[in-house]
Amino acid sequence: MTKLLEYKTGDIILNEGDVGECAYIIEKGKVEVSKNLNGRKIHLAFMEPREIFGEMGMIEEKPRSATVRAVEPTLVQELHRNDFLKKLQTDPDVAVQILKVLFERLRHSHATILELQGAEEGGEQGLDMALLSVVEKSPRKSVMASLEGLTPEASRALPEHPYIIQRFPFLIGRKSDDPLSYNHLTIPDEEPFQISRHHVELLERNGRVGVLDRGSYLGSMVDGQQLGGPGGRRGLLYFNENGGELILGNTRSPYKFSVKTLPAG
């Protein structure tokens, strides 16, 4: 049976290095995920309601890879591995919610590995720069971004114009009935598809906005550079400090957007 647990500001929910078999779904509040690196605390992410953490503890018997701390009064649902296995049969909605997170983490990990492998070919300096790009060292919310359609199709795909992105990472993909589809913005598309179910991820690093491919079929164009798809770059591509142009799909795609970097509100 799942349990509801309450934590006060500053309470540790998970400790890096501990062993556990539970995942946690945030019902209310906010937590910080961090990692210890050579005695220094490295901020990884903030997580808010409906997000899940600790899910790998239900799959493998390895120590927790990060520490999770409540940054405000927080209520979480604790889900033990045995409960999860039962819910696979009795409550598929919860099981699918967790599987979405697992698959997205796998996609992100695969993209990060490809980025590091490519940087390694550039020597020690290139690898150092890639490592800096995949670890978010500052917990500050430094920028937001806006999406504006540059074509009628792109404008119609946005819930509002311009569309403001207040939190990163921000996931974009094709509108789909697939229960495992996991996106913050879904874009209607028709065959022949330009947009994949899981297409791109927008990230913020040190005040700049970048784009990471999530395994799309055709890839994207980021300021004229191909990202993902056949022959495209597999790592992170950044816009300039003010933003740039993003095309979802190939150069013939009607889904062309202007991305603008905005100061955090």
Side-chain angles (χ1 to χ4, degrees):
M1 179 180 296
T2 58
K3 296 188 296 185
L4 288 176
L5 304 175
E6 292 188 72
Y7 294 92
K8 301 188 296 294
T9 300
D11 284 352
I12 300 295
I13 304 174
L14 295 181
N15 247 322
E16 182 178 354
D18 288 351
V19 176
E21 293 187 321
C22 294
Y24 300 84
I25 303 171
I26 303 172
E27 299 289 333
K28 183 178 68 175
K30 184 177 182 179
V31 303
E32 180 189 21
V33 185
S34 63
K35 189 171 182 64
N36 183 287
L37 183 61
N38 297 325
R40 291 191 304 130
K41 173 187 169 182
I42 304 297
H43 169 85
L44 297 178
F46 286 123
M47 304 183 77
E48 298 183 341
R50 300 185 62 188
E51 295 191 273
I52 299 169
F53 61 89
E55 70 286 343
M56 292 306 295
M58 297 190 304
I59 297 172
E60 56 184 11
E61 297 177 348
K62 289 185 177 180
R64 301 288 192 183
S65 60
T67 294
V68 180
R69 178 181 61 90
V71 296
E72 60 185 53
T74 298
L75 180 69
V76 300
Q77 180 184 162
E78 182 185 65
L79 182 62
H80 191 273
R81 182 177 189 274
N82 293 335
D83 299 321
F84 173 68
L85 294 176
K86 290 177 184 177
K87 285 182 180 294
L88 285 173
Q89 298 177 331
T90 62
D91 193 350
D93 288 343
V94 172
V96 166
Q97 185 180 0
I98 293 174
L99 288 173
K100 285 181 181 180
V101 173
L102 286 172
F103 291 156
E104 187 57 38
R105 299 262 167 90
L106 287 171
R107 276 189 289 269
H108 187 86
S109 296
H110 180 64
T112 299
I113 289 169
L114 289 172
E115 182 176 2
L116 292 174
Q117 286 176 339
E120 191 173 18
E121 297 174 2
E124 185 175 344
Q125 183 177 5
L127 183 57
D128 286 345
M129 292 301 294
L131 286 168
L132 286 172
S133 75
V134 299
V135 176
E136 183 183 351
K137 288 170 286 304
S138 171
R140 294 182 300 108
K141 181 182 176 184
S142 55
V143 298
M144 301 188 301
S146 70
L147 283 177
E148 296 184 39
L150 297 177
T151 64
E153 293 88 347
S155 295
R156 287 195 296 269
L158 298 174
E160 54 190 26
H161 204 262
Y163 183 79
I164 304 300
I165 300 171
Q166 300 189 44
R167 290 188 59 209
F168 296 98
F170 186 79
L171 309 178
I172 302 175
R174 187 177 78 239
K175 187 175 183 179
S176 169
D177 294 330
D178 186 340
L180 295 178
S181 181
Y182 184 53
N183 296 290
H184 299 113
L185 175 64
T186 57
I187 297 179
D189 194 11
E190 297 180 355
E191 294 189 52
F193 295 123
Q194 286 285 343
I195 301 176
S196 296
R197 285 192 296 271
H198 301 98
H199 203 93
V200 293
E201 174 178 357
L202 299 187
L203 298 167
E204 184 271 332
R205 293 287 185 269
N206 300 315
R208 295 183 64 188
V209 176
V211 188
L212 193 65
D213 184 73
R214 298 168 68 201
S216 64
Y217 177 66
L218 291 179
S220 305
M221 301 298 294
V222 179
D223 282 338
Q225 299 183 72
Q226 185 173 350
L227 173 70
R233 180 186 171 95
R234 297 296 173 183
L236 187 63
L237 282 179
Y238 286 100
F239 298 110
N240 63 38
E241 292 182 358
N242 297 317
E245 184 183 79
L246 172 65
I247 303 176
L248 301 177
N250 59 32
T251 54
R252 298 187 298 276
S253 172
Y255 298 105
K256 299 181 181 181
F257 300 89
S258 170
V259 180
K260 294 181 180 178
T261 303
L262 306 173

